[in-house]
Amino acid sequence: MPGTPPTRFVYLGPEGTFAEQALRSVPAAERGARTPARSVGEALDSVRVGDADAALVPLENSIGGAVGVTLDEMAEGDPLVITREVILPVEFVLGARPNTPLTSIRTVAAHPQASTQCRGWLRDHLPDAVVVDVLSNGAAAAGAGAGEYDAAICAPIGATRHRLATLAEKIADHPDAVTRFVLVSRPGPPPPATGDDLTSLAVYIAHDRVGALLSVLMELAVRGVNLTRIESRPTGEALGRYVFFLDCTGHVADVRMGEALQGLRRVCADVRFLGSYPRHRWAESAGERPVPAPAGLSDADYVDAAAWLTRLRTGELT
């Protein structure tokens, strides 16, 4: 029921992946039950049918970009909302069974995205090793632990889970790479506004209108709502039909965000609200600060203007 803290969590599995590591950074999830799912769709459907209270799934990676399947699943089916984001540094390690020397490694298990992000390190340190594609970082660690492969590229939690010795740390070619995960629940009251929030939307534009996408952007811009991300995905209806995913600074409780949402409702074919939630604190520590509203477009300015209009309508001209 609304307001009840979640206790049953599901995440994109298997165990020993970055998703599990990200989920365990959520205090309620560390205390609650955590169940791996085989796919993003399975994780989200578990929430929809009530088998779980919340699901943690990847949304985007600073190297690989948006996770399309997550966007598609959020745009379709019964509505779900984001209540939290978790930004996790992607720090790959090379794990192997204890007492395995680096010079003896001939096969390395890795998810394709992991091996791509570690291509330079593999070229420099294991140029003759064969990289074997597996379904996940967790599966790579499990395979190395079972002796199917000499080593694995995996998350630190995967190496620990499968009792692998860490032969090398931070082997990714981009040391500052991060993955953004989101915690998703059934619709309910959003978390309270903090002053440093994001609002996510799926926007369907009217394709028979000239400048439809510009109209969407103008509804945000004229109210000083900063657009931090825009991503398009095909709707599957026909070639050239897209849904646009937007991340905006602000909270649905903010006056200017509320007016922007009303404006989008008027000019768009459809708008799906995907949640208002606090920005991950990592953003501030990385030097990112909330973009202040332009002069005349703060919430205080909106409140003052609304009060002034009310006075005019009641005959007060002072």
Side-chain angles (χ1 to χ4, degrees):
M1 57 188 299
T4 302
T7 58
R8 302 170 301 155
F9 297 85
V10 63
Y11 63 93
L12 178 62
E15 296 180 342
T17 60
F18 287 110
E20 183 187 9
Q21 188 173 333
L23 180 60
R24 298 194 68 160
S25 71
V26 178
E30 182 66 12
R31 297 188 298 268
R34 301 178 300 273
T35 304
R38 291 171 295 184
S39 66
V40 169
E42 181 180 285
L44 297 181
D45 284 341
S46 294
V47 176
R48 288 187 172 106
V49 301
D51 290 339
D53 301 320
L56 186 123
V57 292
L59 188 65
E60 61 176 319
N61 178 269
S62 60
I63 304 300
V67 180
V69 64
T70 299
L71 296 178
D72 294 342
E73 291 286 347
M74 290 289 292
E76 301 171 0
D78 293 339
L80 294 170
V81 291
I82 300 169
T83 60
R84 184 183 185 123
E85 68 170 0
V86 177
I87 296 178
L88 186 74
V90 179
E91 297 182 353
F92 290 106
V93 302
L94 185 74
R97 284 172 293 171
N99 302 317
T100 302
L102 188 65
T103 55
S104 71
I105 293 175
R106 297 292 177 265
T107 57
V108 178
H111 185 277
Q113 287 188 357
S115 58
T116 297
Q117 293 187 47
C118 301
R119 183 185 294 117
W121 190 93
L122 289 169
R123 181 190 61 237
D124 295 340
H125 296 86
L126 293 173
D128 298 323
V130 175
V131 178
V132 182
D133 290 347
V134 294
L135 294 176
S136 69
N137 299 312
E148 298 174 23
Y149 314 102
D150 296 332
I153 295 175
C154 58
I157 191 175
T160 301
R161 178 68 52 81
H162 296 283
R163 300 180 180 179
L164 301 178
T166 300
L167 303 187
E169 297 180 320
K170 299 182 179 181
I171 64 174
D173 299 335
H174 299 275
D176 296 325
V178 297
T179 295
R180 179 186 178 206
F181 296 87
V182 288
L183 193 66
V184 178
S185 301
R186 290 182 295 279
T194 67
D196 188 10
D197 304 287
L198 291 174
T199 292
S200 294
L201 308 167
V203 172
Y204 298 80
I205 65 173
H207 292 276
D208 57 347
R209 286 184 50 193
V210 175
L213 180 56
L214 178 61
S215 297
V216 168
L217 301 180
M218 287 300 297
E219 292 294 338
L220 303 175
V222 297
R223 295 175 177 87
V225 175
N226 187 43
L227 182 66
T228 63
R229 184 178 69 92
I230 181 169
E231 199 84 35
S232 64
R233 295 286 299 168
T235 63
E237 299 171 353
L239 193 64
R241 301 280 173 154
Y242 294 90
V243 53
F244 292 87
F245 293 88
L246 312 180
D247 282 347
C248 313
T249 56
H251 192 280
V252 66
D254 297 341
V255 177
R256 58 185 173 134
M257 178 61 74
E259 289 202 2
L261 291 174
Q262 291 182 69
L264 292 177
R265 174 74 174 180
R266 291 194 301 268
V267 304
C268 295
D270 193 17
V271 179
R272 175 170 280 204
F273 176 72
L274 300 180
S276 288
Y277 48 92
R279 286 208 315 172
H280 191 275
R281 290 182 180 178
W282 172 90
E284 185 171 330
S285 65
E288 296 185 15
R289 303 282 180 176
V291 177
L297 293 176
S298 70
D299 264 13
D301 294 325
Y302 272 93
V303 171
D304 178 72
W308 175 75
L309 179 59
T310 298
R311 291 196 300 272
L312 295 184
R313 287 171 170 171
T314 57
E316 299 179 34
L317 301 184
T318 57

